[in-house]
Amino acid sequence: KMAEKQEEPSNTQNGEPDNAEEGEEKKKKLKREDLPPFEIVTGERLPAIFFKFQFRNVEYSSGRNKTFLCYVLETQGKESVTSRGYLEDEHAAAHAEMAFFNTILPKCESSLRYNITWYVSSSPCVTCADRITETLRKNKNLRLTIMVGRLFMWEEPEMQAALKKMKSAGCKLRIMKPQDFEYVWQNFVEQEEGEEAKAFVPWEDIQENFQYYEEKLAEIL
Protein backbone atom coordinates (compact mmCIF):
# COMPACT_ATOMS: atom_id res chain seq x y z
CA LYS A 1 0.00 0.00 0.00
CA MET A 2 2.79 2.41 0.80
CA ALA A 3 5.35 0.82 -1.46
CA GLU A 4 5.97 4.05 -3.32
CA LYS A 5 7.35 5.74 -0.19
CA GLN A 6 11.05 5.53 -0.93
CA GLU A 7 12.75 8.08 1.27
CA GLU A 8 14.85 6.99 4.21
CA PRO A 9 13.28 6.89 7.69
CA SER A 10 13.81 10.21 9.38
CA ASN A 11 14.93 8.65 12.61
CA THR A 12 17.23 5.73 12.20
CA GLN A 13 17.61 4.99 15.87
CA ASN A 14 13.89 4.55 15.98
CA GLY A 15 14.27 1.25 17.73
CA GLU A 16 16.50 -0.17 15.03
CA PRO A 17 19.39 -2.31 16.24
CA ASP A 18 22.59 -1.59 14.33
CA ASN A 19 22.80 -4.93 12.61
CA ALA A 20 19.22 -5.16 11.36
CA GLU A 21 19.08 -6.75 7.96
CA GLU A 22 18.09 -4.71 4.95
CA GLY A 23 14.99 -6.78 4.44
CA GLU A 24 13.64 -5.88 7.87
CA GLU A 25 14.23 -2.23 7.09
CA LYS A 26 12.30 -2.43 3.82
CA LYS A 27 9.49 -4.39 5.40
CA LYS A 28 9.20 -1.84 8.17
CA LYS A 29 9.15 0.99 5.70
CA LEU A 30 6.27 -0.51 3.79
CA LYS A 31 4.37 -1.33 6.92
CA ARG A 32 4.60 1.93 8.74
CA GLU A 33 4.60 5.35 7.22
CA ASP A 34 7.24 7.63 8.73
CA LEU A 35 5.71 9.50 11.56
CA PRO A 36 6.60 13.11 12.09
CA PRO A 37 8.92 13.44 15.08
CA PHE A 38 7.49 14.29 18.50
CA GLU A 39 4.07 12.94 17.82
CA ILE A 40 2.42 10.78 20.39
CA VAL A 41 1.64 7.53 18.71
CA THR A 42 -1.02 5.30 20.10
CA GLY A 43 -1.81 1.91 18.77
CA GLU A 44 -2.94 -1.52 19.60
CA ARG A 45 0.39 -3.27 19.18
CA LEU A 46 3.93 -2.14 18.79
CA PRO A 47 6.33 -3.46 16.13
CA ALA A 48 8.46 -6.33 17.43
CA ILE A 49 11.70 -4.66 16.43
CA PHE A 50 10.88 -1.66 18.66
CA PHE A 51 10.09 -3.92 21.56
CA LYS A 52 13.34 -5.85 21.23
CA PHE A 53 15.39 -2.67 21.18
CA GLN A 54 13.54 -0.26 23.49
CA PHE A 55 12.48 -2.65 26.23
CA ARG A 56 15.86 -4.28 26.56
CA ASN A 57 16.87 -3.93 30.22
CA VAL A 58 20.48 -3.00 29.52
CA GLU A 59 22.43 -0.69 31.78
CA TYR A 60 23.74 1.64 29.10
CA SER A 61 20.77 2.47 26.98
CA SER A 62 22.33 4.55 24.21
CA GLY A 63 20.01 5.49 21.38
CA ARG A 64 16.98 4.56 23.44
CA ASN A 65 15.62 8.07 23.61
CA LYS A 66 11.98 7.12 23.52
CA THR A 67 9.60 5.89 26.12
CA PHE A 68 7.19 3.13 25.25
CA LEU A 69 4.29 2.73 27.60
CA CYS A 70 1.93 -0.25 27.35
CA TYR A 71 -1.10 0.07 29.59
CA VAL A 72 -3.94 -1.99 30.96
CA LEU A 73 -6.70 0.23 32.32
CA GLU A 74 -9.42 -1.40 34.35
CA THR A 75 -12.37 0.82 35.21
CA GLN A 76 -14.64 -0.54 37.91
CA GLY A 77 -18.13 0.91 38.10
CA LYS A 78 -21.47 -0.85 37.69
CA GLU A 79 -19.64 -2.88 35.10
CA SER A 80 -15.91 -3.40 34.79
CA VAL A 81 -14.33 -2.29 31.55
CA THR A 82 -10.75 -3.12 30.61
CA SER A 83 -8.89 -1.33 27.86
CA ARG A 84 -5.31 -1.69 26.72
CA GLY A 85 -2.98 -0.11 24.23
CA TYR A 86 0.36 1.59 24.01
CA LEU A 87 1.83 5.05 23.74
CA GLU A 88 5.25 6.06 22.56
CA ASP A 89 6.97 9.40 22.62
CA GLU A 90 10.07 11.28 21.67
CA HIS A 91 11.82 12.84 24.61
CA ALA A 92 11.54 16.36 23.23
CA ALA A 93 7.77 16.52 23.45
CA ALA A 94 5.14 15.29 25.86
CA HIS A 95 6.33 12.12 27.51
CA ALA A 96 4.24 8.99 27.30
CA GLU A 97 3.41 9.16 31.02
CA MET A 98 1.95 12.67 30.59
CA ALA A 99 0.20 11.63 27.41
CA PHE A 100 -1.55 8.84 29.28
CA PHE A 101 -3.10 11.30 31.74
CA ASN A 102 -3.86 13.86 29.02
CA THR A 103 -5.36 11.54 26.43
CA ILE A 104 -6.22 8.10 27.79
CA LEU A 105 -7.48 9.18 31.18
CA PRO A 106 -8.10 12.94 30.99
CA LYS A 107 -10.51 12.86 33.92
CA CYS A 108 -11.14 10.47 36.77
CA GLU A 109 -14.78 10.08 37.67
CA SER A 110 -14.91 10.04 41.46
CA SER A 111 -17.64 7.36 41.42
CA LEU A 112 -15.37 4.88 39.61
CA ARG A 113 -12.27 3.00 40.63
CA TYR A 114 -9.34 2.77 38.26
CA ASN A 115 -6.72 0.05 38.37
CA ILE A 116 -3.91 0.89 36.01
CA THR A 117 -0.84 -1.13 35.13
CA TRP A 118 1.87 0.35 32.95
CA TYR A 119 4.69 -1.60 31.35
CA VAL A 120 7.27 1.05 30.49
CA SER A 121 10.66 0.72 28.84
CA SER A 122 12.26 2.97 31.48
CA SER A 123 11.20 4.65 34.71
CA PRO A 124 9.76 8.19 34.53
CA CYS A 125 11.82 11.39 34.51
CA VAL A 126 11.53 13.79 37.45
CA THR A 127 8.78 15.90 35.85
CA CYS A 128 6.66 12.86 34.97
CA ALA A 129 7.25 11.33 38.41
CA ASP A 130 5.99 14.54 40.02
CA ARG A 131 2.92 14.56 37.77
CA ILE A 132 2.18 10.93 38.72
CA THR A 133 2.53 11.77 42.44
CA GLU A 134 0.20 14.75 42.10
CA THR A 135 -2.40 12.77 40.10
CA LEU A 136 -2.44 9.95 42.66
CA ARG A 137 -2.74 12.35 45.59
CA LYS A 138 -5.67 14.12 43.93
CA ASN A 139 -7.47 10.94 42.88
CA LYS A 140 -7.72 8.48 45.72
CA ASN A 141 -9.77 6.15 43.48
CA LEU A 142 -6.77 5.59 41.24
CA ARG A 143 -4.37 2.67 41.71
CA LEU A 144 -1.23 2.68 39.62
CA THR A 145 1.40 -0.03 39.22
CA ILE A 146 4.37 0.78 37.02
CA MET A 147 6.52 -2.06 35.72
CA VAL A 148 9.75 -0.69 34.27
CA GLY A 149 12.44 -2.33 32.15
CA ARG A 150 15.20 0.05 33.24
CA LEU A 151 15.72 2.77 35.82
CA PHE A 152 16.23 6.19 34.27
CA MET A 153 19.02 8.36 35.78
CA TRP A 154 18.62 6.59 39.09
CA GLU A 155 21.92 7.92 40.47
CA GLU A 156 20.60 11.51 40.50
CA PRO A 157 19.45 12.60 43.99
CA GLU A 158 16.43 14.49 42.64
CA MET A 159 15.38 11.44 40.65
CA GLN A 160 15.60 9.28 43.77
CA ALA A 161 13.54 11.83 45.72
CA ALA A 162 10.90 11.88 42.97
CA LEU A 163 10.63 8.07 42.99
CA LYS A 164 10.24 8.08 46.79
CA LYS A 165 7.44 10.63 46.51
CA MET A 166 5.68 8.45 43.96
CA LYS A 167 5.88 5.54 46.36
CA SER A 168 4.50 7.58 49.25
CA ALA A 169 1.58 8.65 47.02
CA GLY A 170 0.73 4.95 46.64
CA CYS A 171 2.35 4.17 43.31
CA LYS A 172 3.76 0.66 43.09
CA LEU A 173 7.01 0.69 41.16
CA ARG A 174 8.44 -2.65 40.06
CA ILE A 175 11.25 -3.81 37.80
CA MET A 176 10.08 -6.05 34.96
CA LYS A 177 10.99 -9.70 35.41
CA PRO A 178 11.52 -11.98 32.41
CA GLN A 179 7.86 -13.09 32.78
CA ASP A 180 6.71 -9.46 32.50
CA PHE A 181 8.64 -8.98 29.26
CA GLU A 182 6.99 -12.13 28.01
CA TYR A 183 3.56 -10.77 28.98
CA VAL A 184 4.21 -7.58 27.00
CA TRP A 185 5.46 -9.63 24.06
CA GLN A 186 2.30 -11.71 24.01
CA ASN A 187 -0.16 -8.88 24.62
CA PHE A 188 1.29 -5.74 23.09
CA VAL A 189 3.66 -6.71 20.29
CA GLU A 190 2.62 -7.23 16.67
CA GLN A 191 2.90 -10.79 15.52
CA GLU A 192 3.50 -11.34 11.82
CA GLU A 193 0.22 -11.96 10.06
CA GLY A 194 -0.54 -15.51 9.14
CA GLU A 195 2.24 -16.92 11.26
CA GLU A 196 1.97 -18.78 14.49
CA ALA A 197 2.62 -16.39 17.35
CA LYS A 198 6.34 -16.50 17.94
CA ALA A 199 7.47 -17.42 21.41
CA PHE A 200 9.26 -14.75 23.41
CA VAL A 201 13.01 -15.26 23.30
CA PRO A 202 14.68 -13.77 26.39
CA TRP A 203 17.98 -12.03 25.75
CA GLU A 204 21.12 -13.35 27.34
CA ASP A 205 21.45 -11.09 30.39
CA ILE A 206 17.75 -10.48 31.06
CA GLN A 207 17.78 -12.09 34.51
CA GLU A 208 21.02 -10.46 35.74
CA ASN A 209 19.86 -7.04 34.54
CA PHE A 210 16.54 -7.49 36.29
CA GLN A 211 18.33 -8.37 39.54
CA TYR A 212 20.72 -5.44 39.15
CA TYR A 213 17.89 -2.92 38.77
CA GLU A 214 15.81 -4.56 41.46
CA GLU A 215 18.64 -4.09 43.98
CA LYS A 216 19.09 -0.45 42.92
CA LEU A 217 15.38 0.23 43.27
CA ALA A 218 15.26 -1.41 46.71
CA GLU A 219 18.14 0.83 47.84
CA ILE A 220 16.38 3.96 46.57
CA LEU A 221 12.97 3.18 48.03
Side-chain angles (χ1 to χ4, degrees):
K1 176 170 80 180
M2 300 177 215
E4 67 279 7
K5 270 190 80 68
Q6 285 308 321
E7 71 267 27
E8 281 305 289
S10 52
N11 181 358
T12 44
Q13 85 259 40
N14 209 355
E16 196 61 79
D18 306 332
N19 58 354
E21 292 110 33
E22 290 248 42
E24 271 300 329
E25 185 58 64
K26 287 205 186 76
K27 205 159 63 189
K28 203 180 83 192
K29 226 188 292 186
L30 302 183
K31 245 181 29 193
R32 181 171 183 276
E33 211 152 0
D34 280 327
L35 295 157
F38 317 136
E39 182 184 9
I40 287 156
V41 184
T42 56
E44 289 298 298
R45 297 210 165 220
L46 66 146
I49 197 152
F50 284 14
F51 169 80
K52 287 175 185 165
F53 181 70
Q54 297 287 353
F55 268 91
R56 206 148 168 176
N57 58 356
V58 289
E59 188 179 349
Y60 298 105
S61 48
S62 64
R64 292 173 175 83
N65 62 343
K66 272 174 170 289
T67 305
F68 277 85
L69 185 156
C70 300
Y71 64 87
V72 181
L73 168 61
E74 193 188 338
T75 309
Q76 296 170 331
K78 287 196 176 92
E79 294 175 8
S80 286
V81 183
T82 301
S83 62
R84 62 173 68 221
Y86 87 96
L87 296 161
E88 69 181 76
D89 68 24
E90 299 278 6
H91 273 194
H95 290 191
E97 296 91 336
M98 297 283 195
F100 180 88
F101 290 122
N102 297 341
T103 58
I104 309 296
L105 193 62
K107 56 181 193 296
C108 292
E109 304 284 339
S110 57
S111 60
L112 299 172
R113 289 176 59 103
Y114 301 91
N115 283 329
I116 304 164
T117 306
W118 289 351
Y119 295 88
V120 198
S121 44
S122 67
S123 58
C125 67
V126 171
T127 313
C128 289
D130 289 345
R131 170 77 188 268
I132 290 164
T133 299
E134 188 190 322
T135 306
L136 289 173
R137 287 195 174 139
K138 264 199 261 180
N139 302 284
K140 296 295 180 203
N141 53 333
L142 198 61
R143 300 263 173 282
L144 177 62
T145 302
I146 307 179
M147 314 291 290
V148 302
R150 303 185 294 275
L151 289 175
F152 175 67
M153 293 181 66
W154 55 268
E155 289 152 316
E156 303 289 325
E158 65 175 334
M159 188 72 253
Q160 298 186 359
L163 294 178
K164 287 187 178 115
K165 276 195 292 199
M166 268 171 47
K167 184 187 178 184
S168 68
C171 178
K172 292 191 171 83
L173 188 61
R174 304 273 184 272
I175 306 293
M176 286 171 69
K177 300 181 164 83
Q179 299 88 299
D180 299 313
F181 288 106
E182 185 168 8
Y183 175 83
V184 171
W185 173 259
Q186 286 168 350
N187 290 280
F188 292 100
V189 176
E190 277 174 9
Q191 303 293 341
E192 291 294 322
E193 281 171 40
E195 283 183 27
E196 284 294 300
K198 288 195 177 74
F200 173 63
V201 182
W203 40 92
E204 205 179 314
D205 43 9
I206 190 168
Q207 182 66 27
E208 293 90 286
N209 291 348
F210 156 66
Q211 284 163 334
Y212 170 81
Y213 279 125
E214 192 168 54
E215 278 166 27
K216 298 293 168 221
L217 183 60
E219 284 164 22
I220 294 167
L221 298 181

